[in-house]
Amino acid sequence: MPVLHQFDYIFGLGICFAFLDAWNIGANDVANSFATSVSSRSLTLRQAMLIASVCEFAGAVLVGSRVADTIRSKIISVEYFEKEPSVLMLGMLCALVGSSTWLTIATKLGLPVSTTHCIVGGVIGVGIATIGGDGVVWGWKGVAQVFAAWGIAPFVAGAFASIIFLLTKYLVLKCKNPLRAGFIAIPVYFGITSGILTMLVVWKGAPSLKLDHWGSDKVLGTTLSVAGGVVLICFAFFIPFLHRRLVKEDWQLKWYHFFLGPLLFKRGPVPPPPEGQRVQVVQNYYRGHKTREELEAQGADRTVVDDIENGKEKPTADVNEKIVTTSSSPGGVAHVSAAKTLDEHEAESLPWYLKPREGKRYELKNLTATIARAFMHGVDKDVVGSQLEKSRLAGNLQDIHSRTPHFDNKTEHLYSFLQILTAATASFAHGSNDVSNAMGPLSTMYLIWHTGKLSTKAPVPIWVLVFGGASIVLGLWTYGYNIMRNLGNRITLHSPSRGFSMELGSALTVVFATRLALPVSTTQCIIGATLAVGLCTGDLKAINWRVVAWTYAGWLVTLPITSLISGLLMGFIINAPRFGKAL
């Protein structure tokens, strides 16, 4: 039973604003994990949302409490509040109000800010408002450690990402036979990525699983065992499946044939496609993005260039042909029949709840479709098309993208599968790290409300992490697309091999930061990794510096704004005149 019943309203408001903060974390930071996967067409937005929902929630619940304790107890000196813990409870509410208010504004503006900056700024503002600058732990064990992590994280993530991409570029993509080199490299990359995810869970990173007593021998053994098992599965199942699809170009191959494994090598010859059909076993990951030579060849036609910028260019396929693709392709191309117009085909391919219906939306017969349409509103968005729309922030994207070399499309397809795994790893790491931003203050409020005492060593309740994980998932599901379309291809041209390098470099950084209990900014990690991979082209103009400047401006103003909001609110409340103390 709670001890401080008289402050039920503070705790209730804390739950509301913690939800709003976590919802905005999902809506804003979802781009950190999946904007690259969607931008490179390795995943559709719907596929990304489904994977992110599982990984974000699992990361928040399994690994989230270690960093949440850092936000709660290492930013301000809680011993100042030992005699009046309810004041700290009020302070955490003000911190959540300041953080969630600015996050809501930034998310609406499409500004990818650091949610870590938001809550740390809010807590700092509360500390200054209550007990002055001395109330904030400015030293290395507090704010200085967080500031150092913010400065170091983008460079570390960039270093990891650039090393991974350069190795991939020169050992695989630029080989005489890049597809063959890719078949050799992909099991290694699968093993490394799965090992990183395992390490995040068992390397003293999951208090909920009570693995802190594990020694280095158990951690290393578990990590190597999982990585080795994934490599074996890759050799046994992925390699035969991808060989049949990419080398043999088996247009009849379905996703469930993956489970046949080595038996696919004994599969008979590939029959020719039916007459009048064109086979496309792999989608073009660079479609809509012209090379430098192609742009220069049509530079005199300004209309064509404008169409490219606005994403209006259409494939020049013969309308009398039927395009056949296998359904196992991540982000596969649709089937177009010669017997129907493109508009008719697009109408038929719409989900059932988006198809035209008779009557009003609120009528009983249409109510199910209306509810489904509202629930899937944030999923049925064309993120890649929105990224290519012309705007002042986007600038001359067709020129920026043309400076990035195109690699073999089939080899890029290999990395689309890897990118799904790296995106899931990054999403898991993001959930573990950023759940603390909203749930750290809420856990403090709960402990004070429930016990009436301060305890920096008390564990974060599991229900707090579940609540935070669910709120993050809801935010990314309903409004995550808004930030996604401002990143990805708007910074530099994405492809599966580049996106894989960005995500793995960022995930590596967040993994080690979580292990060290550093609340790093996942936004800064992925932006640093994206910049580094973009600069690997050797051309500064391959980066959209407008978007980079816009993002950095958001980072610079976030901490002062949230500190000001929460500090002013806290100061007004604790110093406000009231009955019995009017003067």
Side-chain angles (χ1 to χ4, degrees):
M1 291 292 293
V3 174
L4 301 179
H5 264 303
Q6 65 271 33
F7 299 124
D8 287 355
Y9 69 97
I10 295 180
F11 181 63
L13 287 173
I15 292 178
C16 294
F17 282 100
F19 168 78
L20 180 60
D21 205 51
W23 184 90
N24 276 289
I25 290 171
N28 201 296
D29 271 8
V30 67
N32 300 333
S33 301
F34 284 94
T36 51
S37 297
V38 176
S39 298
S40 62
R41 296 189 172 98
S42 292
L43 287 171
T44 64
L45 182 59
R46 181 172 299 185
Q47 291 169 338
M49 289 297 188
L50 291 173
I51 295 173
S53 297
V54 175
C55 294
E56 292 276 345
F57 185 81
V61 175
L62 294 178
V63 197
S65 60
R66 181 177 299 275
V67 182
D69 183 70
T70 300
I71 293 291
R72 182 184 66 200
S73 59
K74 293 186 179 181
I75 302 302
I76 59 176
S77 302
V78 294
E79 60 268 15
Y80 285 98
F81 301 91
E82 287 181 354
K83 293 182 179 179
E84 295 184 85
S86 58
V87 177
L88 181 60
M89 185 178 176
L90 175 64
M92 292 299 100
L93 172 61
C94 294
L96 284 173
V97 172
S99 174
S100 58
T101 299
W102 170 241
L103 263 178
T104 303
I105 296 171
T107 303
K108 178 62 178 177
L109 294 175
L111 182 64
V113 300
S114 167
T115 56
T116 309
H117 285 203
C118 289
I119 193 61
V120 171
V123 174
I124 290 174
V126 167
I128 295 175
T130 51
I131 47 183
D134 294 337
V136 180
V137 183
W138 299 105
W140 178 250
K141 292 185 178 180
V143 177
Q145 190 181 61
V146 177
F147 285 164
W150 293 341
I152 296 171
F155 295 100
V156 174
F160 279 136
S162 59
I163 291 171
I164 294 168
F165 180 68
L166 289 175
L167 287 173
T168 302
K169 179 180 179 179
Y170 290 105
L171 296 181
V172 178
L173 298 173
K174 300 195 77 172
C175 288
K176 292 183 178 179
N177 190 343
L179 187 58
R180 179 177 178 275
F183 274 114
I184 297 173
I186 194 172
V188 178
Y189 280 136
F190 263 111
I192 293 173
T193 306
S194 58
I196 291 169
L197 179 57
T198 305
M199 187 185 300
L200 177 62
V201 176
V202 302
W203 193 13
K204 290 188 177 181
S208 301
L209 300 182
K210 299 180 180 180
L211 303 179
D212 283 356
H213 66 282
W214 277 25
S216 57
D217 54 341
K218 288 186 177 180
V219 173
L220 183 61
T222 304
T223 302
L224 292 179
S225 297
V226 172
V230 171
V231 170
L232 290 176
I233 292 173
C234 190
F235 273 116
F237 294 96
F238 258 106
I239 296 302
F241 179 81
L242 293 174
H243 178 271
R244 183 72 188 182
R245 182 175 183 193
L246 301 179
V247 177
K248 298 296 185 180
E249 296 188 344
D250 190 347
W251 60 278
Q252 293 181 319
L253 198 67
K254 304 297 182 182
W255 65 269
Y256 48 80
H257 291 141
F258 168 85
F259 299 102
L260 294 177
L263 296 177
L264 289 173
F265 287 122
K266 298 183 178 181
R267 191 177 169 98
V270 180
E275 186 177 354
Q277 295 181 355
R278 180 167 60 88
V279 174
Q280 185 180 343
V281 293
V282 176
Q283 66 165 315
N284 181 10
Y285 292 99
Y286 293 102
R287 68 181 183 273
H289 307 297
K290 300 296 183 181
T291 64
R292 196 69 185 164
E293 293 75 17
E294 290 171 336
L295 281 183
E296 290 175 352
Q298 58 185 225
D301 191 347
R302 186 64 244 177
T303 303
V304 174
V305 175
D306 286 338
D307 286 345
I308 296 173
E309 282 188 341
N310 293 317
K312 297 177 181 178
E313 189 179 67
K314 299 294 182 181
T316 56
D318 187 347
V319 295
N320 294 319
E321 292 181 354
K322 181 179 180 181
I323 301 175
V324 180
T325 59
T326 54
S327 59
S328 58
S329 171
V333 185
H335 300 237
V336 181
S337 172
K340 299 175 182 177
T341 66
L342 287 174
D343 289 340
E344 289 174 338
H345 170 74
E346 289 174 0
E348 285 192 357
S349 64
L350 287 174
W352 63 271
Y353 53 85
L354 290 180
K355 291 182 179 180
R357 293 175 177 270
E358 296 181 357
K360 302 293 184 180
R361 290 184 178 182
Y362 53 80
E363 291 181 6
L364 186 61
K365 62 179 181 180
N366 296 329
L367 192 57
T368 303
T370 301
I371 295 173
R373 187 184 296 110
F375 181 74
M376 301 296 289
H377 167 76
V379 179
D380 296 317
K381 300 290 182 181
D382 182 10
V383 171
V384 177
S386 298
Q387 290 172 342
L388 297 176
E389 290 176 358
K390 192 173 182 179
S391 69
R392 291 184 179 180
L393 185 62
N396 193 359
L397 279 182
Q398 50 90 17
D399 179 69
I400 294 171
H401 291 171
S402 70
R403 298 176 182 276
T404 302
H406 295 190
F407 297 113
D408 178 66
N409 204 55
K410 288 184 177 180
T411 309
E412 290 281 8
H413 182 68
L414 292 176
Y415 286 92
S416 67
F417 293 97
L418 268 171
Q419 197 176 3
I420 296 171
L421 184 58
T422 54
T425 305
S427 182
F428 187 93
H430 173 266
S432 69
N433 192 75
D434 280 36
V435 69
S436 64
N437 295 338
M439 297 304 113
L442 181 62
S443 66
T444 300
M445 297 177 67
Y446 173 75
L447 291 172
I448 295 173
W449 175 69
H450 192 262
T451 65
K453 300 177 182 179
L454 288 178
S455 178
T456 59
K457 297 298 182 182
V460 178
I462 188 65
W463 74 264
V464 172
L465 295 175
V466 172
F467 174 69
S471 302
I472 289 174
V473 169
L474 185 61
L476 70 88
W477 188 268
T478 54
Y479 204 51
Y481 67 90
N482 193 51
I483 294 295
M484 276 192 184
R485 58 191 179 190
N486 279 338
L487 295 178
N489 288 317
R490 284 201 172 182
I491 298 178
T492 190
L493 179 62
H494 282 50
S495 66
S497 61
R498 294 179 176 89
F500 157 71
S501 304
M502 297 169 190
E503 290 171 356
L504 186 57
S506 177
L508 274 169
T509 306
V510 176
V511 163
F512 288 112
T514 301
R515 169 66 182 90
L516 298 173
L518 295 176
V520 299
S521 167
T522 50
T523 303
Q524 290 186 343
C525 288
I526 193 63
I527 294 296
T530 302
L531 284 176
V533 171
L535 291 174
C536 286
T537 61
D539 191 343
L540 291 174
K541 293 183 179 180
I543 303 291
N544 187 348
W545 296 105
R546 293 185 186 182
V547 176
V548 175
W550 169 253
T551 303
Y552 269 86
W555 295 349
L556 291 175
V557 302
T558 291
L559 193 143
I561 289 176
T562 54
S563 297
L564 195 62
I565 295 174
S566 60
L568 288 175
L569 181 61
M570 185 68 180
F572 284 144
I573 294 174
I574 63 176
N575 294 296
R578 53 189 178 274
F579 288 108
K581 193 178 178 181
L583 297 177

